[in-house]
Amino acid sequence: MKKTILALAAALLATPASPNTLIDNVNGIQVDPNGALVRFRALLIDDNGKVIRTIGANELDDLDVRRRIDEHGQTLLPGFVDAHGHVMELGRDALQLDLVGTRSLAELQQRLGDYAAAHPEAKWILGAGWNQELWPDKKFPTAAELDSIVPDRPVVLERVDGHALVANSAAMRGAGVTPQTPAPVGGEITDGVFVDNAKALINQAIPAPTQADMDQAFAKAQDILLGFGVTGVGSMSTSLDDWNTFRRAGDAGTLKVRLMVYLLGLDPLKVVPHPTPWLYDDRLRAVGVKFFADGALGSRGAWLKQPYSDAPGTTGNRLHSDADLRSQEDAAAAARFQLATHAIGDAANAQVISAYEWLDSKYGLNRRWRIEHAQVVDCTDLLRIGHGHMIASMQPTHQTSDRLMAEKRLGLGRLKCAYAWQSMLRTGAKLAFGTDFPVESPNPFPGLSAAISRQDINGQPPGGWLPAERLTFEQALGAYTRGAAYAGFAEDKIGALEPGRWADFIIVDRDPTKDERQSLARAQVIETWIAGKRVWSRAPSASPTERGQ
Ligand SMILES: [Zn+2]
């Protein structure tokens, strides 16, 4: 007892009078509550990792702080919040064999051989990203061509669009597929290539990931996100296994990125029946439920009011009747969850808006119903999004990736209110930006650049695509920080470096307000800090000078 008191007294004596940290000599940039850009030259943090205040250029520096960290004039931004990403898929994909950009069968075989040699522990070799259209002869790969590289272990490699895979003989044996196996309706099998509905024959045989696999994938995902300066994520389509993985990381003290979790449909509610409080020092919270109203534009799964311009026989995939969508969403809303519904086509967006209006009449206007993507909206429906105080959760890099494909699918006439960021803001809707990683890279800078230019990383098209929808830099940064935090009911915790919020911030290699757009897209993160602690750094040798007392 006496010993304890002595130790306590010693600890009290050792605590300095001003137990704060000053991140000093920075080019600090953020967006204020009114959407204006503000600058500061230092950031004062308490010992719990929360912001005390920012310090402006003309404020006197007579602060008595214990620790002063000189960042040598580098640019400091709030940590990015990606409103819509798929965390476990990001990690899983990064650990698998990456075949994106292969220019020939020989290159695919080379990468496969290297990966197999480097991963003797992998019982099944899984990969994705090949596209035979980029190869000289445009021929699909075959089972025999994989067997010649890996004969003894199953290999399954998905095509870049996810609509086909190629399997080697060991994988087909493992799946019980023989030359006599018929292709199911809506599928095709040719020399080890399984298309659409036939893919399930192989996929059902792939062993489910173990807890250790999932822990490894999550660790990888966090590492990637921190390297891009993403400190918070709206974790979309979260399964119970995913949720349990996040919990294990929280329990083990390895959860770093703050996750606002959207459970996938109603099933997980059997185990997580209501939104949880924030767990692990505001790093994890189940906040909402994710639904799908339609598919995607590329595969003509987006549900349109009028037929596709390049496929007049179809209007895409409607996934729910109006009554079905309402009743499922009503069940989640009644359990106090926020709703986030995927809607790409104009018919899907109209259906979701109507469902939300109906839910508003029941639950009031303060529930922040989210439309995920809100890509192609009929201009007559756009105002309803603002009137309903809904959140448009959008991804600027989808616009630059989809542009040419969207013109083919819809024709320019129907694109007036597509990817309509500026129009969306004008309706009064809240805008939350993200990337939908791993569909797009989680790197927020190409998105910021696209948002203000409507041009891709190569500056295409000149002048920007439908340039009236361009945002100002502060609007775009706001959607990627404050807006995304608001969209997850986390604006009192993250998204801005203001008193009482977490000191989640990044140091980047250039001033994003000064550089030309193409340069902004290539900006790199140098350090990432969460709760006042540096959790990622590009080069250990480039670490800032620290002075303690
Ligand atoms: Zn998504």
Side-chain angles (χ1 to χ4, degrees):
M1 183 67 178
K2 202 171 171 189
K3 232 177 176 177
T4 318
I5 292 169
L6 281 176
L8 204 65
L12 282 174
L13 283 173
T15 307
S18 321
N20 302 324
T21 297
L22 188 71
I23 310 294
D24 202 4
N25 193 15
V26 298
N27 172 33
I29 297 168
Q30 65 175 337
V31 175
D32 78 5
N34 303 315
L37 210 61
V38 287
R39 290 179 185 271
F40 49 94
R41 65 162 184 78
L43 176 67
L44 188 61
I45 303 171
D46 71 20
D47 278 4
N48 296 317
K50 291 194 169 168
V51 175
I52 297 174
R53 64 189 179 92
T54 55
I55 295 157
N58 300 322
E59 287 183 65
L60 283 177
D61 183 3
D62 53 358
L63 292 163
D64 176 23
V65 293
R66 191 189 59 203
R67 203 161 67 118
R68 192 178 287 262
I69 296 174
D70 187 344
E71 290 283 2
H72 307 292
Q74 298 187 99
T75 295
L76 183 152
L77 303 171
F80 284 98
V81 182
D82 190 312
H84 180 129
H86 301 271
V87 177
M88 294 305 297
E89 285 79 359
L90 178 70
R92 187 201 60 199
D93 282 10
L95 293 172
Q96 292 185 355
L97 169 57
D98 177 11
L99 297 168
V100 171
T102 46
R103 282 153 302 173
S104 64
L105 171 67
E107 190 181 346
L108 176 146
Q109 288 175 316
Q110 174 76 41
R111 287 200 206 177
L112 172 59
D114 291 350
Y115 185 89
H119 294 274
E121 81 292 347
K123 292 198 174 66
W124 283 63
I125 295 174
L126 306 175
W130 56 272
N131 180 0
Q132 85 292 345
E133 290 294 320
L134 305 177
W135 301 353
D137 56 8
K138 301 192 181 353
K139 262 181 56 197
F140 276 84
T142 65
E145 286 160 351
L146 304 188
D147 290 347
S148 70
I149 308 298
V150 181
D152 50 343
R153 280 185 282 171
V155 176
V156 181
L157 309 177
E158 252 196 5
R159 193 176 182 275
V160 67
D161 64 356
H163 283 277
L165 59 80
V166 59
N168 71 348
S169 299
M172 290 193 277
R173 270 197 306 280
V177 173
T178 68
Q180 283 72 46
T181 305
V185 177
E188 264 175 68
I189 309 174
T190 319
D191 292 337
V193 175
F194 293 71
V195 181
D196 283 332
N197 288 352
K199 282 172 30 187
L201 292 172
I202 297 293
N203 283 335
Q204 49 82 26
I206 299 173
T210 62
Q211 277 193 10
D213 292 338
M214 295 194 72
D215 292 344
Q216 193 192 8
F218 182 47
K220 182 77 184 173
Q222 290 199 93
D223 206 39
I224 296 169
L225 291 169
L226 294 175
F228 285 125
V230 179
T231 55
V233 172
S235 168
M236 286 294 145
S237 310
T238 305
S239 70
L240 266 185
D241 284 343
D242 297 349
W243 171 256
N244 289 331
T245 304
F246 303 155
R247 293 293 309 254
R248 279 197 302 280
D251 290 341
T254 55
L255 178 58
K256 295 171 191 156
V257 176
R258 302 185 195 278
L259 301 178
M260 304 167 281
V261 166
Y262 294 80
L263 300 164
L264 179 59
L266 294 173
D267 261 7
L269 273 56
K270 291 172 196 150
V271 178
V272 187
H274 300 291
T276 66
W278 279 101
L279 306 168
Y280 313 112
D281 284 335
D282 296 342
R283 281 185 168 81
L284 181 67
R285 183 181 179 221
V287 60
V289 177
K290 167 89 180 289
F291 294 96
F292 288 82
D294 65 349
L297 212 49
S299 51
R300 298 193 187 83
W303 175 30
L304 304 180
K305 291 185 175 183
Q306 302 299 325
Y308 279 84
S309 300
D310 59 352
T314 180
T315 54
N317 292 342
R318 171 186 197 161
L319 300 183
H320 301 277
S321 69
D322 293 351
D324 178 39
L325 183 67
R326 279 184 197 189
S327 88
Q328 287 201 35
E329 298 207 317
D330 191 20
R336 303 197 306 274
F337 281 106
Q338 188 189 12
L339 304 175
T341 314
H342 166 117
I344 303 253
D346 52 6
N349 274 285
Q351 183 190 42
V352 172
I353 293 166
S354 295
Y356 284 174
E357 285 169 345
W358 179 79
L359 288 160
D360 280 346
S361 65
K362 191 165 171 179
Y363 296 100
L365 274 172
N366 56 354
R367 297 288 296 267
R368 304 187 191 178
W369 311 129
R370 298 172 55 137
I371 307 178
E372 301 306 314
H373 311 305
Q375 259 174 31
V376 183
V377 182
D378 187 329
C379 293
T380 60
D381 294 323
L382 203 64
L383 277 175
R384 298 163 67 195
I385 298 178
H387 285 162
H389 299 257
M390 296 169 203
I391 289 165
S393 164
M394 303 178 78
Q395 299 76 28
T397 43
H398 280 344
Q399 182 267 302
T400 45
S401 299
D402 292 0
R403 169 174 69 87
L404 296 173
M405 178 269 291
E407 286 182 11
K408 270 192 230 148
R409 298 279 184 278
L410 298 158
L412 270 177
R414 271 192 286 182
L415 291 170
K416 249 186 241 142
C417 295
Y419 312 89
W421 312 315
Q422 192 60 262
S423 300
M424 198 66 86
L425 279 177
R426 243 180 271 124
T427 70
K430 294 274 187 185
L431 199 55
F433 272 169
T435 60
D436 200 11
F437 64 76
V439 177
E440 306 276 355
S441 160
N443 183 355
F445 289 102
L448 274 182
S449 170
I452 62 179
S453 67
R454 305 280 283 192
Q455 290 173 322
D456 65 20
I457 192 158
N458 300 314
Q460 293 301 317
W465 188 73
L466 304 177
E469 296 298 344
R470 278 188 302 222
L471 298 182
T472 63
F473 175 78
E474 42 270 51
Q475 285 174 324
L477 183 64
Y480 237 127
T481 51
R482 284 181 177 277
Y486 179 88
F489 285 94
E491 73 275 16
D492 58 336
K493 314 235 175 239
I494 56 175
L497 298 165
E498 289 174 348
R501 291 176 178 77
W502 289 106
D504 298 351
F505 62 90
I506 58 176
I507 305 289
V508 298
D509 69 350
R510 64 198 78 188
D511 182 333
T513 64
K514 283 195 179 135
D515 282 300
E516 57 170 71
R517 303 315 169 215
Q518 268 48 272
S519 164
L520 170 58
R522 294 188 175 86
Q524 292 205 318
V525 175
I526 298 170
E527 294 171 16
T528 301
W529 294 61
I530 290 181
K533 289 202 174 69
R534 190 164 52 235
V535 291
W536 187 91
S537 164
R538 180 162 300 276
S541 57
S543 64
T545 324
E546 282 192 36
R547 270 187 292 133
Q549 287 170 10

